[in-house]
């Protein structure tokens, strides 16, 4: 519980530093009404909100435990597997995504990333994994390409087939 409280404080401090650093972004003649600092400042505010929520949740749990006269530090269940090898495995999956992206394109790379992480984290090998991977890739493609207008690489393997 102390770790959650401390983590929330670190998130708020990082958000403050990120917000301050975003002020040094130069304005461009191509800037819109939000400006170049709009998105970074919004992300900093969201990060601070998450940090404050983590601190508030920790305080609420401690207060509830105190009222119930139960020790706030309940024994935590051990997660199976060592955290460092799991983190390295996820890092390798992310690295494979970065390497494959220029060749197979954004859509297929994101679908493989979602499926790979789901299977790595122990998802059952059923029709749900490919459905979630294709649905997630479609959603991300729609958000970035259609909604935000950020074109993603089609990949050299499919050059000319997809827009």
């Amino acid at each position: 519980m102390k770790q959650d409280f401390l983590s929330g404080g670190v998130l708020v401090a990082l958000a403050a530093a990120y917000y301050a650093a975003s002020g040094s972004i130069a304005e461009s003649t191509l800037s819109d009404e939000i400006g170049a600092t709009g998105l970074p400042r919004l992300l900093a505010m969201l990060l601070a909100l998450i940090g404050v929520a983590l601190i508030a949740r920790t305080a609420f749990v401690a207060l509830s435990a105190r009222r119930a006269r139960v020790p706030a530090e309940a024994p935590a269940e051990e997660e199976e597997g060592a955290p460092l090898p799991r983190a390295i495995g996820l890092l390798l999956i992310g690295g494979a995504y970065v390497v494959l992206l220029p060749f197979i394109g954004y859509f297929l790379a994101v679908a493989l990333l979602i499926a790979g992480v789901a299977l790595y984290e122990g998802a059952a090998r059923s029709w749900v994994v490919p459905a979630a991977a294709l649905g997630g890739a479609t959603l991300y493609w729609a958000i970035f390409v259609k909604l935000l207008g950020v074109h993603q690489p089609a990949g050299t393997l499919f050059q000319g087939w997809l827009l």
Side-chain angles (χ1 to χ4, degrees):
M1 191 159 70
K2 291 178 186 177
Q3 292 175 341
D4 287 346
F5 189 80
L6 203 58
S7 297
V10 169
L11 287 178
V12 170
L14 282 173
Y18 188 66
Y19 188 88
S22 70
S24 65
I25 297 174
E27 287 294 321
S28 167
T29 56
L30 299 175
S31 293
D32 56 4
E33 56 274 354
I34 297 174
T37 60
L39 182 62
R41 286 188 174 174
L42 175 66
L43 292 174
M45 288 185 264
L46 289 173
L47 185 62
L49 181 68
I50 291 170
V52 169
L54 190 57
I55 291 170
R57 184 188 69 133
T58 304
F60 179 74
V61 167
L63 183 62
S64 297
R66 183 174 293 168
R67 285 184 181 168
R69 302 209 185 266
V70 175
E73 290 290 335
E77 291 184 20
E78 294 274 333
E79 234 185 90
E80 63 181 63
L84 183 60
R86 288 180 64 113
I88 291 172
L90 287 172
L91 187 62
L92 290 173
I93 292 172
Y97 166 78
V98 170
V99 169
L100 291 174
L101 180 65
F103 301 109
I104 63 174
Y106 177 77
F107 185 84
L108 188 56
V110 169
L112 289 174
L113 175 70
I114 293 170
V117 169
L119 292 172
Y120 183 75
E121 288 297 320
R125 295 176 190 261
S126 69
W127 63 270
V128 175
V129 173
L134 291 174
T138 302
L139 179 66
Y140 282 129
W141 177 82
I143 289 171
F144 285 107
V145 176
K146 294 298 181 184
L147 184 64
L148 299 175
V150 179
H151 294 287
Q152 302 297 327
T156 55
L157 185 62
F158 303 110
Q159 197 68 35
W161 288 9
L162 304 171
L163 295 177

